[in-house]
Amino acid sequence: MSFDFNYDTDTWVQFFKDNWLMLVIALVVLFLVLRIVKTVVKWLIVVAILAGVVIYSGYSLEDVKSIGTKVADGVKQEAISAMAGEAKDATFTDNGDGTFTVKTKNLELDGKPGDDEVEVSFRGTSLGKWKIDATIRTLIDQAKQNV
């Protein structure tokens, strides 16, 4: 069993949300052991408790990360569907500082003319930078025509 702890903060947050009760119990037991036991046995007990928490969690951090990836993919797909359905109501704004913004009811795209990616927000939540593909290009072009 190898342990790879190179995960993003979202993975760790999800892990702590799912296992908070077990982690709190383990911390209380650890503090009690550290206060009461004064020998090498104390450290063996600490290691056993930590191993128990890892084993008890029932799934690895890799599992948590894959769940997060599935959710992110679902949101991305929903955003792409919204792009297609809301293009007729999209508005294009030249921000005057060399950037533009395209807004619909649920989406907001921010970018620079000539760049190959835009910052995408869906229902107020940032989805990060996306490469401009045919769907995004169509939305931007339709928004320009709607002005």
Side-chain angles (χ1 to χ4, degrees), residues 30-61:
L30 280 175
F31 285 127
L32 289 173
V33 167
L34 290 174
R35 304 273 297 159
I36 296 171
V37 181
K38 303 282 185 190
T39 65
V40 176
V41 175
K42 165 176 60 177
W43 295 109
L44 293 175
I45 294 171
V46 168
V47 170
I49 291 171
L50 291 176
V53 168
V54 170
I55 293 169
Y56 172 78
S57 67
Y59 52 89
S60 67
L61 290 174

Side-chain angles (χ1 to χ4, degrees), residues 1-146:
M1 174 192 263
S2 69
F3 293 103
D4 180 16
F5 293 107
N6 295 324
Y7 295 102
D8 57 18
T9 54
D10 293 333
T11 302
W12 285 106
V13 168
Q14 186 62 40
F15 176 78
F16 289 126
K17 282 182 181 177
D18 290 345
N19 296 300
W20 70 271
L21 182 60
M22 185 61 187
L23 293 171
V24 169
I25 292 169
L27 279 175
V28 169
V29 171
L30 280 175
F31 285 127
L32 289 173
V33 167
L34 290 174
R35 304 273 297 159
I36 296 171
V37 181
K38 303 282 185 190
T39 65
V40 176
V41 175
K42 165 176 60 177
W43 295 109
L44 293 175
I45 294 171
V46 168
V47 170
I49 291 171
L50 291 176
V53 168
V54 170
I55 293 169
Y56 172 78
S57 67
Y59 52 89
S60 67
L61 290 174
E62 191 63 40
D63 295 337
V64 173
K65 189 172 184 176
S66 71
I67 291 169
T69 302
K70 288 177 185 175
V71 170
D73 289 345
V75 170
K76 185 173 182 177
Q77 194 59 39
E78 193 174 337
I80 290 171
S81 297
M83 281 181 201
E86 297 177 1
K88 66 182 182 311
D89 299 323
T91 59
F92 182 89
T93 306
D94 183 356
N95 298 328
D97 61 354
T99 63
F100 66 87
T101 302
V102 174
K103 288 186 181 181
T104 68
K105 186 175 109 182
N106 293 308
L107 285 165
E108 183 174 325
L109 307 178
D110 295 306
K112 289 184 179 180
D115 279 359
D116 64 340
E117 56 185 24
V118 291
E119 181 73 30
V120 179
S121 296
F122 182 63
R123 296 182 180 159
T125 302
S126 176
L127 299 179
K129 289 193 177 263
W130 290 13
K131 296 278 186 201
I132 296 178
D133 61 5
T135 306
I136 294 174
R137 175 62 55 206
T138 301
L139 178 65
I140 293 170
D141 293 342
Q142 181 66 42
K144 286 179 180 177
Q145 292 176 4
N146 291 345

